[in-house]
Amino acid sequence: MVLHSNRRFVGFLFCISTGRHHFPCLGPFIKIFQFSTHIVPSNSALSPNENHILNELAELLPISHHNTASNLYKESNSAKLVEQSRDIGQFLLPEEKLRGVFLRKLKGKTKVEQALSNVPVDLNLHVFAEVVNRGNLSGESMVMFFNWAIKQPMFPKEIDSYNIIFKALGRRKFFESMMRSLNDMKDKCISPNLDTLSILMDSFIRARRVYKAIQLFGNLEEFGFACDSESLDVLLQCLCQRGHVGAATLFLNSMEGKMQLNIITYNIVIGGWSKLGKVNEIEKILKAMMTAGFNPDCLTFSYLIEGLGRADRVDDAVNIFDNMKDKGCIPNSTAYNAMIFNFISIGDFDGGMKYYKALLSSNCEPDMETFIRLISAFLKHRKVADALEMFDEMISRGFIPSTGTITSFIEPLCSYGPPYAAMMIYKKSRKIGCKVSISAYKLLLMRLSRFGKCGMVLNLWHDMQENRYSSDTEVYEYIINGLCNNGQLENAVLVMEEALQKGFCPNKLIYSKLKNKLLDSNKVERAYRLYLKMKKARQLDNARKYWRHSGWHF
């Protein structure tokens, strides 16, 4: 049918050009129609005129006359898919792009490594850790990714890189892959350290494979570790941290006479029993330690005092503390911290402050643990003024809290009362150069927006961006909520549009709140335009979720 219509069309052109009637107005169009792209050849034989026309088309257009309409559609469709995949990649983090290679279910190691090499990402330890620590990659995929990463020129080929993959595999209980990587490290002559041993031991013990950890300790020399008292301390520390203090005690008793022990080894086990409040077990370890020729030191007495406090024997703890000098051990800050902890744990803040003042009057100086325990206890019992006073004293003594410590202080303050105290902690921390986490910023934004402090919210948002923290959906929701609570609807709409442009879709509750306030203010047209943008953004958000789930990252 198509060929028949083509022949009729060519015949029509032939009649116009050779007939006795001349149509000068159609002259320019005849030249154009003689090379129409709608002519589709069939598989049958073509007439000379049709071959001539197709040859002319092939010379003028960059399309072979062997291409059919379906092939042209496929080529245009593939070009659109490539362009869409580039747009999709803009929404993905570097680790998501690398992790998406394994979602494509490629077969063969060569294809996977080639796909990883084609990803435009600057690989470093941080990106590598984000790839293996998040998502749901299998053990085989993680090892394959590590083997590819270790071949890259800019990737560090040292023990820290292996520690990251060991920790990621151990957390997911991929022990076979972890041991294969350990053997590969041995073949490459990379020496492990105590951090490597701690990661391996903790991985087995956390999975309740205590026997496997002890068996690994017996074969340490095969993997390049030294089987000495330091390695034993690492094993006992992992056992006590995970609550397997009984197994640690039995293994310690079995190693007596086989290895040269020290007081640190005994203190580790005593510290494990002190956290459980098992005073009888502490006394047994003390007798064994003294039998081995080691006298208790300040750390030993501190563990004993803390264990007595957990067993509700505060009076006995006071007696032990008072008799430390008679036994030739002058109390240090660790011993005072144990006494302070005993009193504040039962709600006796006067008793805790008594020992804190005694610490200041002695030759000892308070350490970071002293202030963290006191401030955390004050915040827990909602003694905000005392907590702020202790925080000021901590700063005046030159102690700089860590990022996690600041977050632990801000979190309870954002759960009750106005946000003034939390902002005081934040401002003083920023003044001394502390780094505030993104979690702390979100807590402060949430609390400030709830109280309608728009100026403080915007200033805090600006500080967060200056610290190179990118805004996500939660941040935009808190800001929009604060602006709505303060009646700044136009600014709230602008922030909402910015969030939608960046690919973040706030939840329905925030959108409904803003929409209802716009309607109440007779801004119907503004609400309708926002509705259209929100509708399109939700469609794109659902599409992105589907793309990431299906692995269509490229």
Side-chain angles (χ1 to χ4, degrees), residues 221-292:
E221 296 180 353
E222 296 181 4
F223 301 102
F225 295 97
C227 188
D228 52 7
S229 59
E230 293 183 351
S231 301
L232 177 62
D233 294 343
V234 170
L235 173 60
L236 297 179
Q237 187 70 38
C238 294
L239 288 171
C240 292
Q241 285 180 350
R242 297 297 177 182
H244 299 279
V245 189
T249 304
L250 293 175
F251 191 73
L252 175 62
N253 296 332
S254 65
M255 295 303 294
E256 290 182 353
K258 299 180 182 179
M259 183 180 296
Q260 186 176 1
L261 306 179
N262 51 34
I263 193 172
I264 299 176
T265 307
Y266 288 100
N267 282 338
I268 291 174
V269 182
I270 292 175
W273 286 119
S274 69
K275 292 181 180 179
L276 301 177
K278 301 292 185 180
V279 181
N280 295 332
E281 299 295 335
I282 295 176
E283 292 176 351
K284 292 180 182 178
I285 302 298
L286 278 173
K287 291 180 181 179
M289 183 179 69
M290 297 179 69
T291 303

Side-chain angles (χ1 to χ4, degrees), residues 31-32 34-35 53-63:
K31 297 180 180 179
I32 298 175
Q34 286 177 350
F35 307 105
I53 293 173
L54 291 177
N55 291 331
E56 293 289 337
L57 284 173
E59 293 179 0
L60 293 176
L61 301 177
I63 302 174

Side-chain angles (χ1 to χ4, degrees), residues 169-202:
L169 291 170
R171 187 185 297 115
R172 309 280 179 80
K173 301 180 182 180
F174 298 140
F175 299 118
E176 294 182 359
S177 301
M178 184 177 69
M179 297 306 295
R180 284 200 301 267
S181 300
L182 184 62
N183 289 322
D184 294 340
M185 184 186 71
K186 175 187 173 182
D187 296 338
K188 294 179 182 179
C189 299
I190 297 178
S191 301
N193 53 22
L194 292 179
D195 293 336
T196 309
L197 180 60
S198 178
I199 292 171
L200 297 174
M201 293 293 183
D202 189 66

